[in-house]
Amino acid sequence: MTTQSTVKVQLVRSPIGTKVSHRATVRGLGLRKVNSVSELEDTPAVRGMINKISYLVKVL
């Protein structure tokens, strides 16, 4: 019964005009529109995705 830590991510800039792989990463994190928030498990894979598009998102 271990509790998984989570991380909330908010899309603060539009992915329009960014690389295709960065847009795919935004969608992979479950973010759609600007200011949308997604709550995800805090895993190394998710942290890597957040790090890749750090200029588009904000960690809450």
Side-chain angles (χ1 to χ4, degrees):
M1 302 251 195
T2 60
T3 57
Q4 276 287 7
S5 58
T6 60
V7 60
K8 279 189 176 183
V9 182
Q10 180 179 20
L11 186 65
V12 293
R13 289 189 59 194
S14 173
I16 295 173
T18 61
K19 292 182 178 181
V20 176
S21 64
H22 289 202
R23 280 180 266 169
T25 304
V26 169
R27 294 293 294 130
L29 288 173
L31 301 169
R32 287 179 158 265
K33 298 180 179 182
V34 176
N35 292 327
S36 63
V37 177
S38 183
E39 190 168 350
L40 306 155
E41 288 184 18
D42 192 8
T43 62
V46 170
R47 285 288 176 174
M49 292 170 78
I50 292 170
N51 190 41
K52 182 176 180 179
I53 57 165
S54 61
Y55 64 100
L56 296 175
V57 297
K58 177 171 66 172
V59 177
L60 303 175

